[in-house]
Amino acid sequence: MQITLREVHDSDLPVFFRQMNDPEALHMAAFTSQDPTDRDAFDAHWKRIRASDAVHRTVLVDGDVVGSASVYGEPNEREVTYWIDRAYWGRGIATAALRELVTQVPERPLYARAAADNAGSRRVLEKCGFRLTAHARGYANARGEEIDEVVLTLDG
């Protein structure tokens, strides 16, 4: 299985939209857009972030689009985010993709947030060198309520 990252192409966006509308994945991610089924809002979001100084990559497995990974935010406050199609969970793809992404973005610190009950995402982050640095609460659109979240940091 070959896992690679590349620049995001326009043709990736319909795949991302489909992936980001999986009910189980939405529940696990928790902190999603207000209405993930709003294609116009999705397209406007991607247009805006692709024009920013953020680093966005498409995650490929053996040439197939299986997700995305990004680093975004202000200097010294940059965060990572990633999304892997649920059909590919549990295969080490998110870990490999995130490891590659953080080598492409050498600035530190980098931060990550996850729902406190999202053990899979937390494991991915910890395998990539992120360490738990804070606990917080935030409104999770996908769950319709405020939930506990963890903040992890990748230093030098």
Side-chain angles (χ1 to χ4, degrees), residues 49-69:
I49 64 173
R50 288 174 76 189
S52 74
D53 68 348
V55 176
H56 305 288
R57 298 290 182 260
T58 296
V59 179
L60 303 169
V61 172
D62 297 331
D64 293 329
V65 175
V66 300
S68 62

PDB file of all heavy atoms in Angstrom, residues 49-69:
ATOM      1  N   ILE A  49      -9.929  28.637   1.504  1.00  0.00           N
ATOM      2  CA  ILE A  49      -8.730  28.079   2.137  1.00  0.00           C
ATOM      3  C   ILE A  49      -7.640  27.754   1.115  1.00  0.00           C
ATOM      4  O   ILE A  49      -6.460  27.853   1.434  1.00  0.00           O
ATOM      5  CB  ILE A  49      -9.039  26.868   3.050  1.00  0.00           C
ATOM      6  CG1 ILE A  49      -9.590  25.684   2.274  1.00  0.00           C
ATOM      7  CG2 ILE A  49      -9.961  27.275   4.177  1.00  0.00           C
ATOM      8  CD1 ILE A  49      -9.742  24.428   3.104  1.00  0.00           C
ATOM      9  N   ARG A  50      -8.019  27.417  -0.104  1.00  0.00           N
ATOM     10  CA  ARG A  50      -6.994  27.164  -1.124  1.00  0.00           C
ATOM     11  C   ARG A  50      -6.294  28.451  -1.532  1.00  0.00           C
ATOM     12  O   ARG A  50      -5.164  28.414  -2.016  1.00  0.00           O
ATOM     13  CB  ARG A  50      -7.601  26.461  -2.337  1.00  0.00           C
ATOM     14  CG  ARG A  50      -7.944  25.005  -2.015  1.00  0.00           C
ATOM     15  CD  ARG A  50      -8.666  24.329  -3.140  1.00  0.00           C
ATOM     16  NE  ARG A  50      -7.757  23.981  -4.237  1.00  0.00           N
ATOM     17  CZ  ARG A  50      -8.176  23.540  -5.410  1.00  0.00           C
ATOM     18  NH1 ARG A  50      -9.467  23.425  -5.654  1.00  0.00           N
ATOM     19  NH2 ARG A  50      -7.308  23.239  -6.344  1.00  0.00           N
ATOM     20  N   ALA A  51      -6.934  29.588  -1.336  1.00  0.00           N
ATOM     21  CA  ALA A  51      -6.324  30.881  -1.647  1.00  0.00           C
ATOM     22  C   ALA A  51      -5.483  31.411  -0.480  1.00  0.00           C
ATOM     23  O   ALA A  51      -4.777  32.396  -0.638  1.00  0.00           O
ATOM     24  CB  ALA A  51      -7.406  31.889  -2.011  1.00  0.00           C
ATOM     25  N   SER A  52      -5.545  30.762   0.669  1.00  0.00           N
ATOM     26  CA  SER A  52      -4.816  31.210   1.856  1.00  0.00           C
ATOM     27  C   SER A  52      -3.389  30.663   1.843  1.00  0.00           C
ATOM     28  O   SER A  52      -2.995  29.927   0.936  1.00  0.00           O
ATOM     29  CB  SER A  52      -5.540  30.741   3.121  1.00  0.00           C
ATOM     30  OG  SER A  52      -5.347  29.349   3.310  1.00  0.00           O
ATOM     31  N   ASP A  53      -2.638  30.994   2.881  1.00  0.00           N
ATOM     32  CA  ASP A  53      -1.264  30.488   2.985  1.00  0.00           C
ATOM     33  C   ASP A  53      -1.195  29.128   3.678  1.00  0.00           C
ATOM     34  O   ASP A  53      -0.121  28.650   4.016  1.00  0.00           O
ATOM     35  CB  ASP A  53      -0.366  31.500   3.704  1.00  0.00           C
ATOM     36  CG  ASP A  53      -0.727  31.663   5.176  1.00  0.00           C
ATOM     37  OD1 ASP A  53      -1.796  31.185   5.593  1.00  0.00           O
ATOM     38  OD2 ASP A  53       0.076  32.269   5.904  1.00  0.00           O
ATOM     39  N   ALA A  54      -2.326  28.504   3.866  1.00  0.00           N
ATOM     40  CA  ALA A  54      -2.370  27.178   4.472  1.00  0.00           C
ATOM     41  C   ALA A  54      -1.777  26.142   3.511  1.00  0.00           C
ATOM     42  O   ALA A  54      -1.677  26.370   2.312  1.00  0.00           O
ATOM     43  CB  ALA A  54      -3.807  26.814   4.822  1.00  0.00           C
ATOM     44  N   VAL A  55      -1.389  25.016   4.066  1.00  0.00           N
ATOM     45  CA  VAL A  55      -0.852  23.907   3.282  1.00  0.00           C
ATOM     46  C   VAL A  55      -1.927  22.830   3.231  1.00  0.00           C
ATOM     47  O   VAL A  55      -2.316  22.288   4.271  1.00  0.00           O
ATOM     48  CB  VAL A  55       0.436  23.346   3.932  1.00  0.00           C
ATOM     49  CG1 VAL A  55       0.938  22.134   3.176  1.00  0.00           C
ATOM     50  CG2 VAL A  55       1.493  24.427   4.031  1.00  0.00           C
ATOM     51  N   HIS A  56      -2.425  22.537   2.037  1.00  0.00           N
ATOM     52  CA  HIS A  56      -3.487  21.547   1.864  1.00  0.00           C
ATOM     53  C   HIS A  56      -2.989  20.436   0.965  1.00  0.00           C
ATOM     54  O   HIS A  56      -2.426  20.705  -0.104  1.00  0.00           O
ATOM     55  CB  HIS A  56      -4.739  22.174   1.234  1.00  0.00           C
ATOM     56  CG  HIS A  56      -5.234  23.339   2.006  1.00  0.00           C
ATOM     57  ND1 HIS A  56      -5.853  23.207   3.217  1.00  0.00           N
ATOM     58  CD2 HIS A  56      -5.171  24.660   1.759  1.00  0.00           C
ATOM     59  CE1 HIS A  56      -6.152  24.396   3.677  1.00  0.00           C
ATOM     60  NE2 HIS A  56      -5.748  25.298   2.813  1.00  0.00           N
ATOM     61  N   ARG A  57      -3.217  19.206   1.383  1.00  0.00           N
ATOM     62  CA  ARG A  57      -2.779  18.063   0.598  1.00  0.00           C
ATOM     63  C   ARG A  57      -3.914  17.053   0.470  1.00  0.00           C
ATOM     64  O   ARG A  57      -4.727  16.874   1.380  1.00  0.00           O
ATOM     65  CB  ARG A  57      -1.576  17.370   1.249  1.00  0.00           C
ATOM     66  CG  ARG A  57      -0.339  18.248   1.374  1.00  0.00           C
ATOM     67  CD  ARG A  57       0.281  18.537   0.019  1.00  0.00           C
ATOM     68  NE  ARG A  57       1.474  19.334   0.130  1.00  0.00           N
ATOM     69  CZ  ARG A  57       1.537  20.647  -0.087  1.00  0.00           C
ATOM     70  NH1 ARG A  57       0.447  21.323  -0.410  1.00  0.00           N
ATOM     71  NH2 ARG A  57       2.673  21.293   0.023  1.00  0.00           N
ATOM     72  N   THR A  58      -3.913  16.398  -0.672  1.00  0.00           N
ATOM     73  CA  THR A  58      -4.798  15.263  -0.899  1.00  0.00           C
ATOM     74  C   THR A  58      -4.031  14.013  -0.499  1.00  0.00           C
ATOM     75  O   THR A  58      -2.855  13.863  -0.846  1.00  0.00           O
ATOM     76  CB  THR A  58      -5.207  15.185  -2.379  1.00  0.00           C
ATOM     77  OG1 THR A  58      -5.967  16.360  -2.691  1.00  0.00           O
ATOM     78  CG2 THR A  58      -6.044  13.949  -2.667  1.00  0.00           C
ATOM     79  N   VAL A  59      -4.694  13.134   0.238  1.00  0.00           N
ATOM     80  CA  VAL A  59      -4.093  11.870   0.656  1.00  0.00           C
ATOM     81  C   VAL A  59      -4.501  10.813  -0.361  1.00  0.00           C
ATOM     82  O   VAL A  59      -5.692  10.619  -0.627  1.00  0.00           O
ATOM     83  CB  VAL A  59      -4.556  11.460   2.072  1.00  0.00           C
ATOM     84  CG1 VAL A  59      -3.927  10.130   2.476  1.00  0.00           C
ATOM     85  CG2 VAL A  59      -4.237  12.557   3.088  1.00  0.00           C
ATOM     86  N   LEU A  60      -3.493  10.138  -0.914  1.00  0.00           N
ATOM     87  CA  LEU A  60      -3.718   9.083  -1.900  1.00  0.00           C
ATOM     88  C   LEU A  60      -3.232   7.748  -1.352  1.00  0.00           C
ATOM     89  O   LEU A  60      -2.189   7.691  -0.695  1.00  0.00           O
ATOM     90  CB  LEU A  60      -2.953   9.388  -3.189  1.00  0.00           C
ATOM     91  CG  LEU A  60      -3.240  10.718  -3.878  1.00  0.00           C
ATOM     92  CD1 LEU A  60      -2.207  10.976  -4.962  1.00  0.00           C
ATOM     93  CD2 LEU A  60      -4.630  10.710  -4.462  1.00  0.00           C
ATOM     94  N   VAL A  61      -3.976   6.702  -1.645  1.00  0.00           N
ATOM     95  CA  VAL A  61      -3.536   5.331  -1.373  1.00  0.00           C
ATOM     96  C   VAL A  61      -3.554   4.603  -2.701  1.00  0.00           C
ATOM     97  O   VAL A  61      -4.608   4.490  -3.344  1.00  0.00           O
ATOM     98  CB  VAL A  61      -4.443   4.629  -0.343  1.00  0.00           C
ATOM     99  CG1 VAL A  61      -4.072   3.154  -0.239  1.00  0.00           C
ATOM    100  CG2 VAL A  61      -4.337   5.308   1.008  1.00  0.00           C
ATOM    101  N   ASP A  62      -2.369   4.179  -3.120  1.00  0.00           N
ATOM    102  CA  ASP A  62      -2.228   3.505  -4.418  1.00  0.00           C
ATOM    103  C   ASP A  62      -2.907   4.306  -5.534  1.00  0.00           C
ATOM    104  O   ASP A  62      -3.556   3.757  -6.419  1.00  0.00           O
ATOM    105  CB  ASP A  62      -2.779   2.080  -4.356  1.00  0.00           C
ATOM    106  CG  ASP A  62      -2.016   1.206  -3.367  1.00  0.00           C
ATOM    107  OD1 ASP A  62      -0.806   1.459  -3.157  1.00  0.00           O
ATOM    108  OD2 ASP A  62      -2.622   0.293  -2.794  1.00  0.00           O
ATOM    109  N   GLY A  63      -2.784   5.639  -5.444  1.00  0.00           N
ATOM    110  CA  GLY A  63      -3.320   6.526  -6.469  1.00  0.00           C
ATOM    111  C   GLY A  63      -4.763   6.943  -6.298  1.00  0.00           C
ATOM    112  O   GLY A  63      -5.239   7.806  -7.029  1.00  0.00           O
ATOM    113  N   ASP A  64      -5.485   6.368  -5.334  1.00  0.00           N
ATOM    114  CA  ASP A  64      -6.884   6.721  -5.095  1.00  0.00           C
ATOM    115  C   ASP A  64      -6.997   7.783  -4.011  1.00  0.00           C
ATOM    116  O   ASP A  64      -6.314   7.707  -2.975  1.00  0.00           O
ATOM    117  CB  ASP A  64      -7.693   5.494  -4.662  1.00  0.00           C
ATOM    118  CG  ASP A  64      -7.819   4.459  -5.761  1.00  0.00           C
ATOM    119  OD1 ASP A  64      -7.846   4.846  -6.944  1.00  0.00           O
ATOM    120  OD2 ASP A  64      -7.893   3.259  -5.423  1.00  0.00           O
ATOM    121  N   VAL A  65      -7.882   8.758  -4.204  1.00  0.00           N
ATOM    122  CA  VAL A  65      -8.115   9.815  -3.219  1.00  0.00           C
ATOM    123  C   VAL A  65      -8.862   9.218  -2.028  1.00  0.00           C
ATOM    124  O   VAL A  65      -9.976   8.706  -2.192  1.00  0.00           O
ATOM    125  CB  VAL A  65      -8.926  10.973  -3.836  1.00  0.00           C
ATOM    126  CG1 VAL A  65      -9.278  12.008  -2.774  1.00  0.00           C
ATOM    127  CG2 VAL A  65      -8.173  11.601  -4.995  1.00  0.00           C
ATOM    128  N   VAL A  66      -8.223   9.283  -0.850  1.00  0.00           N
ATOM    129  CA  VAL A  66      -8.861   8.738   0.351  1.00  0.00           C
ATOM    130  C   VAL A  66      -9.049   9.784   1.440  1.00  0.00           C
ATOM    131  O   VAL A  66      -9.613   9.474   2.487  1.00  0.00           O
ATOM    132  CB  VAL A  66      -8.088   7.525   0.921  1.00  0.00           C
ATOM    133  CG1 VAL A  66      -8.007   6.407  -0.116  1.00  0.00           C
ATOM    134  CG2 VAL A  66      -6.720   7.922   1.418  1.00  0.00           C
ATOM    135  N   GLY A  67      -8.593  11.017   1.199  1.00  0.00           N
ATOM    136  CA  GLY A  67      -8.777  12.042   2.215  1.00  0.00           C
ATOM    137  C   GLY A  67      -7.939  13.271   1.965  1.00  0.00           C
ATOM    138  O   GLY A  67      -7.389  13.463   0.870  1.00  0.00           O
ATOM    139  N   SER A  68      -7.837  14.075   3.021  1.00  0.00           N
ATOM    140  CA  SER A  68      -7.090  15.326   2.940  1.00  0.00           C
ATOM    141  C   SER A  68      -6.372  15.564   4.261  1.00  0.00           C
ATOM    142  O   SER A  68      -6.751  15.009   5.301  1.00  0.00           O
ATOM    143  CB  SER A  68      -8.025  16.489   2.639  1.00  0.00           C
ATOM    144  OG  SER A  68      -8.970  16.648   3.681  1.00  0.00           O
ATOM    145  N   ALA A  69      -5.349  16.407   4.194  1.00  0.00           N
ATOM    146  CA  ALA A  69      -4.592  16.795   5.388  1.00  0.00           C
ATOM    147  C   ALA A  69      -4.121  18.223   5.176  1.00  0.00           C
ATOM    148  O   ALA A  69      -3.704  18.583   4.070  1.00  0.00           O
ATOM    149  CB  ALA A  69      -3.418  15.854   5.611  1.00  0.00           C
TER     150      ALA A  69
END
